[in-house]
Amino acid sequence: MPPKAKLNSISINKPKFDKNDYVFVSHYELLYEAKVLERRREDEDDQNSEWTYQVHYKGWKKTWDDWVSESRMQAITDETRALAAAMNEEFKQAQEQRKKSTASGKRKSLALATSNTNSNRRATSDANSISNRAGSDEGRHPSTPIQHQQQLQASTSSSSVLPRGLFNNTTNNSNNKRRRDPDIEDEEHFFTRKAIRLNVPDNLKSMLVDDWENVTKNLQLVPLPAEKPITKILDDYLQHERDPRTANYIREPYSAECDRLFEFVAGVKDYFNKALGRILLYRFERDQYHQKRLEWQSRIEKFENIRCASDVYGAEHLMRLFVILPEMIAQTNMDSQTIQALRVEINRILAWLSRNVDTYFVQEYETADAEYVNRATGQ
């Protein structure tokens, strides 16, 4: 009997959506409902290349039909419908806030223009005063504009303390406009920065409130190291999400969506390790943090397999990171599409954590002894 033919080891990327399927397509900060018209590979010669789909947007003319990549598409579910509605509401609020900030900016520009006019008048008056003093020192007033300029330079060069190169782009022309104050520009554009609004489930909100009260009011601590540390939580979430995202593939090749999942998980872990000691701890926890940090850096037996903070801390501190991420992202230069993808990933892991509260959150906080309380509170 001839030997059985070996299965082809080349992975084949199968499409997630079929013709006539209804999907959500991300475009900037919104999700639009659309119908799949056609599909094709980006590279017909590459069986693992990403699929692209021709879609018709619901409520829009055919002239808006477009080819979009699979990474921008999501199946229509109750979760994605809620996300689309929340994004639409947030977009409307951002539009209203933008109008208010624009009106405020116009008022500030008018005030700035008035201030510049007054400043120019004072500068002209000061220049004339310097010119008169220079003329008096010479026993006569300058008879030509060149002599006037030379005297102004001579009268100011000896008292200048500005570092060389600070105003390399300026000239001696007295009609140059004063630059806008960068602080004013930042204030004008502050409310137009891209940010994300999270859909935090109610039970996780309650956990955050209880966490705050336990630490700041009851002077209790989260037991460390956590039974289910953040590294374990993220690994479990990765396994949970990776299987359905690779369900349409042979031999688990990594699609664009899987790549995004891995990048998100790695980014959360990295952000947490860098942010914990700076912004995620209450004052009462700082002494505990320093103690545990010394222990895991010393590689004592209890911490022999621990390399970083995400191996020590658990879901309570991970939630603190998630709720401040919108503010952190607002200070970055992320584009709208990246922010939208990040919002989807964060909302997914929040929904998953909400369903697994009993598994990953501690049931009881530990009460600190009197010595620790005195040391942590400075008594």
Side-chain angles (χ1 to χ4, degrees):
M1 179 181 294
K4 294 182 179 179
K6 293 183 179 180
L7 292 175
N8 189 357
S9 61
I10 300 177
S11 59
I12 300 177
N13 183 353
K14 293 185 178 181
K16 291 178 60 178
F17 305 103
D18 297 320
K19 186 177 179 180
N20 297 324
D21 280 356
Y22 285 90
V23 296
F24 278 124
V25 178
S26 65
H27 185 71
Y28 291 98
E29 299 181 4
L30 294 173
L31 290 177
Y32 293 88
E33 189 172 345
K35 180 180 179 180
V36 176
L37 302 179
E38 299 289 344
R39 71 186 181 199
R40 67 188 181 196
R41 296 184 185 276
E42 286 188 347
D43 183 357
E44 294 294 344
D45 296 329
D46 183 2
Q47 294 298 304
N48 201 33
S49 65
E50 187 176 8
W51 286 89
T52 59
Y53 300 79
Q54 186 184 31
V55 297
H56 170 71
Y57 293 102
K58 183 178 179 181
W60 294 79
K61 294 181 180 180
K62 291 184 177 180
T63 54
W64 290 97
D65 291 359
D66 191 16
W67 286 91
V68 299
S69 63
E70 192 173 81
S71 59
R72 291 176 53 192
M73 302 168 64
Q74 298 184 55
I76 296 181
T77 63
D78 291 341
E79 181 181 348
T80 54
R81 285 188 184 278
L83 177 60
M87 292 171 64
N88 187 53
E89 181 63 26
E90 181 181 348
F91 180 77
K92 290 180 180 179
Q93 293 179 4
Q95 290 278 66
E96 294 175 358
Q97 189 62 58
R98 192 173 291 114
K99 291 179 181 178
K100 293 179 181 179
S101 61
T102 301
S104 174
K106 289 180 179 178
R107 290 194 297 269
K108 290 178 180 178
S109 296
L110 179 60
L112 183 61
T114 303
S115 174
N116 285 344
T117 301
N118 294 334
S119 297
N120 288 337
R121 289 175 179 171
R122 288 194 298 271
T124 302
S125 175
D126 293 342
N128 290 336
S129 175
I130 294 173
S131 174
N132 291 336
R133 288 198 301 271
S136 298
D137 293 339
E138 295 289 334
R140 60 183 175 83
H141 291 288
S143 57
T144 66
I146 295 178
Q147 290 177 343
H148 187 191
Q149 182 179 1
Q150 290 172 343
Q151 288 183 359
L152 284 175
Q153 290 175 344
S155 64
T156 57
S157 61
S158 62
S159 61
S160 177
V161 294
L162 294 176
R164 180 174 296 181
L166 188 59
F167 295 109
N168 281 340
N169 294 327
T170 63
T171 66
N172 291 324
N173 184 1
S174 61
N175 292 326
N176 280 347
K177 293 183 179 180
R178 191 171 125 195
R179 292 187 178 183
R180 285 178 67 92
D181 186 344
D183 291 335
I184 294 178
E185 289 185 346
D186 289 343
E187 186 176 354
E188 288 175 3
H189 296 291
F190 178 79
F191 290 107
T192 62
R193 290 176 178 172
K194 302 177 181 66
I196 62 176
R197 181 171 298 172
L198 302 181
N199 299 323
V200 182
D202 289 340
N203 61 337
L204 293 184
K205 290 179 181 178
S206 298
M207 298 296 294
L208 283 166
V209 174
D210 292 342
D211 176 54
W212 174 79
E213 287 186 347
N214 287 333
V215 177
T216 63
K217 301 297 182 182
N218 302 335
L219 301 183
Q220 293 179 309
L221 297 168
V222 178
L224 297 179
E227 183 178 346
K228 297 286 180 66
I230 291 172
T231 300
K232 169 65 174 173
I233 295 173
L234 294 178
D235 286 345
D236 289 352
Y237 175 72
L238 187 63
Q239 185 63 40
H240 168 79
E241 280 290 307
R242 184 177 59 184
D243 291 344
R245 294 196 197 191
T246 58
N248 294 326
Y249 299 87
I250 298 176
R251 291 183 61 255
E252 292 192 22
Y254 295 115
S255 64
E257 193 171 354
C258 278
D259 288 341
R260 188 174 67 188
L261 172 64
F262 278 88
E263 289 176 5
F264 169 73
V265 170
V268 167
K269 186 175 181 179
D270 188 47
Y271 257 67
F272 179 84
N273 288 327
K274 292 180 178 179
L276 176 66
R278 294 180 174 90
I279 55 177
L280 299 183
L281 296 173
Y282 297 116
R283 178 186 175 187
F284 188 70
E285 296 176 301
R286 290 199 167 275
D287 200 63
Q288 181 194 38
Y289 166 73
H290 292 305
Q291 289 178 359
K292 300 301 179 183
R293 191 163 182 262
L294 287 174
E295 290 176 1
W296 85 62
Q297 288 180 341
S298 301
R299 298 288 191 270
I300 63 175
E301 183 177 355
K302 186 170 63 171
F303 291 90
E304 60 182 356
N305 296 322
I306 290 175
R307 297 293 181 268
C308 55
S310 57
D311 296 331
V312 178
Y313 288 80
E316 294 76 20
H317 292 81
L318 180 61
M319 277 304 305
R320 299 183 197 176
L321 173 66
F322 284 142
V323 295
I324 68 168
L325 269 180
E327 183 178 348
M328 297 171 69
I329 292 171
Q331 309 301 321
T332 68
N333 295 323
M334 290 184 186
D335 58 81
S336 300
Q337 190 168 347
T338 302
I339 290 176
Q340 193 275 335
L342 186 56
R343 175 184 7 219
V344 171
E345 293 296 342
I346 296 175
N347 284 327
R348 280 179 176 174
I349 193 171
L350 287 177
W352 178 78
L353 276 174
S354 175
R355 297 191 298 269
N356 294 277
V357 166
D358 293 338
T359 303
Y360 295 109
F361 288 81
V362 298
Q363 301 300 317
E364 292 184 5
Y365 283 54
E366 62 182 19
T367 301
D369 56 38
E371 181 182 355
Y372 180 93
V373 172
N374 292 336
R375 188 169 60 249
T377 57
Q379 295 179 359

